[in-house]
Amino acid sequence: MAGIAAWGAYLPTFRLDRKTMGRAWDTPSLPGERSVSAGDEDSLTMGVEAALACLAGRDRSDVDAVFFATTTSPYAEKQGAATIAAVLDLPNALTSDVTGSLRAATTALRSALDAIAAGTARAVLVVAADARPAEPATATEQLLGDGAAAVLITADGPAEIIGVAGVTEDFTGPWRRTVDHYVRSFEPKLETEYGYARAVIAAAKEALSRAGIAAEQVTKFVAYAPDPRTLATTAKRIGVAEVARDPLFSTVGNLGAAHTLVALAAALDGAAAGDHIIAVAQGDGADALVLRIGAGIDAARSGVPVADLIASKQMLPSYEGFLRFRRLLPSDASDPRSSTVQYWRDRRQALPFEGVRCTACGIVQFPANRACVECAALDKMEPIKLAHRGRIFTFTLDHLVGGEYLETPVPRVVVDMDGGGRVFFDMTDVNPDEVRIGNEIELTFRRIHDGAGFHNYYWKARPPRTATVPA
C-alpha cells in the first residue's frame, strides 16, 4: 500500500496565554496557551505554508493532485486547493476541497490513497488547515487553536499505510450552520461518548484488524479529540499500551480539521523504523489509518520539526490583540482599491512568485517588464522563479498604517533575493525595533487585504522561522 513520503507543518507565530483570556472575561482559565493566526493569516495562507514545508527541496513534477481539508475555508464558493496549486505552480494538478467535517483531512488522505492505488496520480499532496471560530468568553475559545499540516502520499513512501477503515454516522455535535458565527455544541457528554469515542474506537479497531496489528504494538496514537482527557481515555479503550501526551493541547490548542495531521507530523518527526502509528479523526463517524515506519524515514525528514514550531513564538500582550486579529472589533478600515482583472493578470507574480531574467545581460528583475532596467534590451526577458530568502537592502518604518496589524510602525523593506532580484515587501511577525539592513528574511504567504470584496493574497517578509524554504 502507499505511504507518506514527506510531511510539513505550520503553526502561527503568535500565542495567547489562556490566563490572559480568563482575566479578560473574569472566568476560569484552562492551563497553557493557544496559537493565534495573525490578522493577515487565514486557513488558506497557513495551508500554503504547510505545503511549502512539506515539498521543500523536492521535485514537484510528479504531484498530480492537491487536496485541501478545512472547516474554515476563506471562501464559501471558490476553491482553496486551486490557490495552493497555483502557489506551488502545479497547473495540471487535480484539485479538491474537502470541507464541513473535522475528519476532512483523513477523508482526503483516503481519497489520496485511492488515487495512488488506481494509478490516476503518482503523488498526492494533502493539506489540512483550520482556524475555527469560538464564542468569546467560553472555554472553547481558550481550547481552540490555529495551525496546518501537509503530507505527500506516494506509492513507495517510507511511512507505509497498511490498514485503513472508517465508519459514518450522522451525529449533530459539534456543528456550525451557514448563519452561525461560532462553533455550537449541545451536550458534551453525549458528543464525547456517542459522537466521538464510539466511532473512533470502531474505526481504529477495524483498521488495526485490516493491518494485522494488535493494539499493543501501536507505538503512537495520534488523533483529533475534543480535549486531552478524551484522547487518553479513548486510546486506552482501544487497547494502546502507552498513550503519549498530546504535544498540542497545552501549547497551541485543538487545531480542528488540522489536528490529526499536525499530531501525525510530530509523531513522524520522532519515529523510527519498525514503529507503528495509528492516526484517527472524527466527525459524523471516524477514519483510522495504521502506518508502519520503514527504513527510509530518516531520509524523508526535511522540514522543521513540530516541536521547533511550537517553541518558535511571540506572546500576544493582550486579549484585545486577539480580538483585532479575529476582526471582532469595530473598524473603519478603508476598502483598498483592487480588481479581479488585475489579480488575474498578475497571478504569476503574486502566487508562484515569478520574475524575469534578461537574456541579454542576465539581470533578474521583479516585477516583469518588457525593457531591461540594466541594459535596456527590449523583449529579451524569460520567466524565472525567485528565491524565498534574501537580505534587507533598505527599509523604512510606516507609522500611518492601521487596521490589520497588531501595532504600528510597520516595516516596509526592500530585499535582495538570493539568486537575484530586488523586491519591495511589507514585513510581518517582527518587532520593528529589530529590523536592520542586512538582516536575513524569508517570505511568507499572507492575505494582504480584502479590496473589491475578495481576498488579495501576496507575499510578505519575516524573520526566518524555518531551516529550509523552497524557491
Side-chain angles (χ1 to χ4, degrees):
M1 191 176 286
I4 295 175
W7 63 93
Y10 174 76
L11 298 171
T13 299
F14 290 99
R15 307 283 189 275
L16 182 59
D17 192 323
R18 289 171 177 141
K19 291 180 180 177
T20 302
M21 305 180 79
R23 282 196 298 269
W25 295 105
D26 195 21
T27 58
S29 58
L30 300 173
E33 54 202 38
R34 59 158 293 171
S35 58
V36 179
S37 51
D40 55 2
E41 293 184 292
D42 59 25
S43 293
L44 181 56
T45 66
M46 293 191 294
V48 166
E49 293 268 359
L52 290 171
C54 179
L55 299 179
R58 293 178 176 274
D59 180 5
R60 305 171 188 169
S61 62
D62 64 344
V63 180
D64 294 322
V66 177
F67 298 155
F68 179 46
T70 182
T71 68
T72 53
S73 175
Y75 283 106
E77 182 176 334
K78 187 181 182 314
Q79 199 180 62
T83 302
I84 296 172
V87 173
L88 299 174
D89 201 15
L90 299 172
N92 297 317
L94 168 69
T95 56
S96 177
D97 284 4
V98 185
T99 64
S101 172
L102 291 171
R103 62 168 166 143
T106 51
T107 301
L109 270 174
R110 295 180 67 182
S111 298
L113 292 170
D114 289 343
I116 297 294
T120 57
R122 293 165 295 172
V124 180
L125 181 68
V126 176
V127 182
D130 236 348
R132 298 168 73 204
E135 185 175 355
T138 64
T140 303
E141 185 188 41
Q142 297 185 27
L143 182 62
L144 299 189
D146 308 332
V151 296
L152 183 68
I153 306 296
T154 66
D156 56 357
E160 184 183 8
I161 299 172
I162 59 175
V164 178
V167 296
T168 297
E169 182 179 51
D170 179 67
F171 190 93
T172 306
W175 74 94
R176 182 159 48 93
R177 300 174 299 175
T178 53
V179 297
D180 289 331
H181 294 296
Y182 307 116
V183 176
R184 299 171 66 92
S185 182
F186 181 69
E187 171 48 61
K189 289 185 178 179
L190 176 71
E191 294 175 0
T192 298
E193 179 57 34
Y194 294 97
Y196 180 83
R198 191 174 62 159
V200 167
I201 292 170
K205 287 187 174 180
E206 180 61 24
L208 289 167
S209 175
R210 294 181 183 182
I213 298 296
E216 294 79 8
Q217 295 176 263
V218 173
T219 313
K220 293 180 181 176
F221 175 78
V222 297
Y224 163 81
D227 57 77
R229 182 177 181 181
T230 299
L231 177 69
T233 57
T234 304
K236 289 181 180 177
R237 292 170 65 180
I238 293 170
V240 176
E242 294 187 13
V243 181
R245 187 177 67 86
D246 183 287
L248 305 177
F249 280 110
S250 64
T251 56
V252 293
N254 181 328
L255 304 180
H259 196 95
T260 296
L261 250 57
V262 176
L264 178 58
L268 292 171
D269 288 340
D275 285 353
H276 290 95
I277 299 173
I278 183 166
V280 188
Q282 175 268 339
D284 286 305
D287 298 317
L289 302 94
V290 180
L291 294 83
R292 178 170 56 208
I293 307 303
I297 194 68
D298 290 335
R301 294 188 179 94
S302 61
V304 176
V306 173
D308 289 359
L309 290 172
I310 292 173
S312 171
K313 63 182 181 181
Q314 298 181 46
M315 298 303 297
L316 274 172
S318 67
Y319 182 75
E320 288 77 5
F322 170 76
L323 295 178
R324 290 182 61 184
F325 278 172
R326 281 288 187 272
R327 303 169 194 265
L328 295 176
L329 295 177
S331 171
D332 292 330
S334 61
D335 184 10
R337 293 183 60 185
S338 190
S339 160
T340 57
V341 175
Q342 180 184 15
Y343 197 67
W344 177 82
R345 185 192 64 197
D346 295 340
R347 65 194 185 283
R348 296 293 304 174
Q349 298 169 154
L351 300 178
F353 194 46
E354 185 176 272
V356 293
R357 177 168 51 202
C358 176
T359 58
C361 69
I363 292 295
V364 176
Q365 299 159 53
F366 185 94
N369 50 62
R370 293 182 59 194
C372 177
V373 297
E374 181 69 19
C375 69
L378 188 61
D379 294 331
K380 298 291 184 183
M381 301 296 182
E382 61 180 5
I384 182 174
K385 297 282 182 55
L386 301 188
H388 285 198
R389 280 181 179 267
R391 291 188 180 277
I392 296 175
F393 170 74
T394 189
F395 72 96
T396 188
L397 300 179
D398 191 338
H399 292 260
L400 301 179
V401 178
E404 298 179 358
Y405 294 88
L406 179 61
E407 57 186 9
T408 56
V410 174
R412 299 182 183 273
V413 298
V414 177
V415 177
D416 284 335
M417 310 306 300
D418 294 349
R422 180 172 289 175
V423 188
F424 173 82
F425 299 101
D426 284 359
M427 200 162 181
T428 190
D429 296 353
V430 66
N431 180 346
D433 294 335
E434 297 177 355
V435 178
R436 298 285 186 275
I437 290 174
N439 280 5
E440 186 180 5
I441 63 91
E442 65 184 14
L443 299 191
T444 177
F445 193 69
R446 297 298 172 104
R447 196 170 73 193
I448 303 301
H449 58 75
D450 285 352
F454 71 99
H455 303 311
N456 291 248
Y457 295 100
Y458 186 57
W459 302 91
K460 289 186 178 180
R462 72 175 175 205
R465 284 188 77 194
T466 62
T468 306
V469 177

